[in-house]
Amino acid sequence: MANFDIQHIKNIVLVGHTGSGKTTLAEAMAYNAGFLSRRGTIEEKNTLADYTDLEQEKGKSFFSKLIATQWEGFKINVLDTPGSDDFSGEIIGAMRVADCGVMLLNAVTGVEVGTDIIWEYTDNYKLPMLLAVNQIDHESADFDATVQEAIQHFGRKVVIVQYPIHSGASFDAVIDVLHMKLYRYSDTDGTVAVEEIPDIHLEKANQLHQELVEAIAGYDETLMVRFFEQGSLTEVEMKEGLHQALIHHELFPVFCLSGLKNRGVNRLMEFIDHVCPSANEMPNEITIEGKAISCNENEPTAIYIYKTLTEPHVGDLSFFKVLSGKIRVGDELTNENTGQVERIHQIFEMVANKRNSVNEMVAGDIGATLKLKNTHTHNTLHAKGFPVELPPIPYPESVLTRAVESTIKGEEEKLSQALHQLIEEDPTIKIEVSPELKQTLIHCQGELHLYVIRWKLEQSAKLHVQFVAPKIPYRETIRKAAETVYRHKKQTGGAGQFAEIAMKIEPWYDGIEEPKGYPIRSSESIDLPWGGKLMYYNCIVGGAIDTRFHASILKGIMEKMQEGPLTGSYVRDVRVLVFDGKMHSVDSNDLAFKTAGMMAFKTCFYQADPLLLEPYYHILIHTPENLTGSLMSAIQTNRGVVEGMDAEGHFTKIHAHVPYEAMDDLGKEIRALSQGRARFTLETGGYQPLPLEIQKQLVKDQVHEIAEV
């Protein structure tokens, strides 16, 4: 591919709900650019972008792809993305380095839930956006209804640039109200004939042209003055107005096309070339320190790694955007995040999974390189003496957690390495090795995301794994005070063990008064690593227990709190007073008092009305308003509590809290009741008392489990 300057490089991300036709459009764009002699299809499993076995098997995209194309003297880097919110990492990562987006709308189904979700991301980044109503050739296509839905969801900034003369199988022409021409397609090779608009269509075309002019003039004060003076705007003025409005996320031009039949695609590519912004026209990137990075090829070199992909027998392929300067083969760049110096051995223009070697890339371009030794996604590399670091990409919190286990003994280390590689490729995956639950947990974005994780572990890493529901991290506490005297005595010949402790335990809470009726010699406040507090009081008088043994008593109590008496869960929020005891001049030692402290605490705990606490999530459900009642019922059925609701356009936000234990079932109900139209986010909440009948069953299960062991 020829060398291009900054002004002639366009970075476009294709986004939209699953099934809107992103991959098919990317295929048509690559074909028009001359990179394909024949267009593949999803059905034939031979598209350029969906090249993995999994994507071909399922007929949908799971990973973002970079496809470098060109059209009429411009380089267009096309970033194809998945449609499911389960793969938000792939979508957001591609958006992060794009300079404009094309939101595909299915002309049959209109604005879908995935469209709304992705639109929030575009708003966050203030990314310039085109709207492309795709699949106009479908017999049930409805362009006008789709545009009206877009206006309802995205506002009056939606402006029509094109509309079809016919929908369905007869779709072969569009009227462009920017150029005021008719584009007629006679075949599927992209060939187009430019014609004058027939008289029968002039009234509608003129009306939409005037609406477009007014929208553009309304954005720019200078153009508004010209509009009032001239009564209209020239085509050049309209293009410049659209260009500036796109940069500032102020207007969203609408196009219509059939990616499958390659109709309208070349006109879209032409608009991308001549109207959409280049990287150097977008606002400067801002570093963590607040420094602006100018997208200029004459500045020092800086690149940003936005994606990492492991290729078998090759290694890690690092995808980057050139933020400033030029990157050349042989350059040595410093990784600002790690301090390591990396040598650039190769630079590739990527056409999906095909790597085309080049010697350099200029600011604004996107490419890939191999064999970086200590560089990861989100890292910034720069020339010596030009220290810059971009903030990491913010990703949504996980909504699904599973414990992963190897089903073959001896594969644990291999599994650990494979999980590490997973999070290298996909930063939305979180791996947690829980010493409390004795499980390795995978936190991910949903069932489909988990399916892909399993596929990678089984197919790529050749592992045998199973996913199970994680154990619940219950907490144990008490509701009333209790006292006991415990004597530990052991004689086995020679020196024995002897310790006697009089202990009182009671609930602890913020603001509790100091104990009364006991002579407090010393106290210790311990913030427990698992939450809550332990307050320990030495109330011994007359030397009944030597001061040196209190550390051992406390150690015994802490050991029992790490494996609570009821279910083996952590204990929290307890106050302990040791107020009497006995010791032996020979047989008393640290081990004896540690054991006595542990057993005295356990005995008291059973007498103090013990209580199990269960963790809960704060959940925010974003749902179409007509589903609000059904989802509120589902929350209550799953032991959740609705805390409030907010209206947001055609959607309702439901705030609630739901026990960890019930979240899996509720998540499935939300997806089933809404058919994927509702989505939710989770935040870890606190703890609340577990219903007594469930507590009894858990304690009973624990007894059986111990008996079996």
Side-chain angles (χ1 to χ4, degrees), residues 604-649:
C604 270
F605 196 88
Y606 281 124
Q607 299 169 1
D609 194 10
L611 173 69
L612 270 180
L613 303 173
E614 65 175 336
Y616 63 86
Y617 287 114
H618 289 295
I619 181 171
L620 173 60
I621 305 175
H622 193 267
T623 176
E625 56 189 1
N626 63 309
L627 296 173
T628 303
S630 299
L631 294 181
M632 288 176 65
S633 296
I635 290 169
Q636 292 161 357
T637 301
N638 287 279
R639 300 196 295 116
V641 176
V642 176
E643 298 170 328
M645 293 184 297
D646 300 313
E648 188 178 84

Side-chain angles (χ1 to χ4, degrees), residues 1-5 8-9 35 68-70 73-77 349 356-362 365:
M1 192 180 291
N3 291 328
F4 293 87
D5 60 26
H8 289 80
I9 298 172
F35 294 146
T69 69
Q70 60 183 30
F74 284 78
K75 179 181 183 181
I76 304 176
N77 288 315
E349 286 181 333
N356 299 322
S357 294
V358 296
N359 290 322
E360 70 174 32
M361 281 189 173
V362 301
D365 210 346

Side-chain angles (χ1 to χ4, degrees), residues 6 65 67 107 114 314 317 334 359 388 431 471 480 498 514 524 574 665:
I6 298 176
K65 313 296 188 325
I67 303 172
V314 175
L317 188 62
T334 301
N359 290 322
V388 292
I431 305 298
K471 299 173 185 175
K480 69 178 187 181
F498 178 88
E514 287 289 277
E524 188 169 352
V574 177
D665 289 340

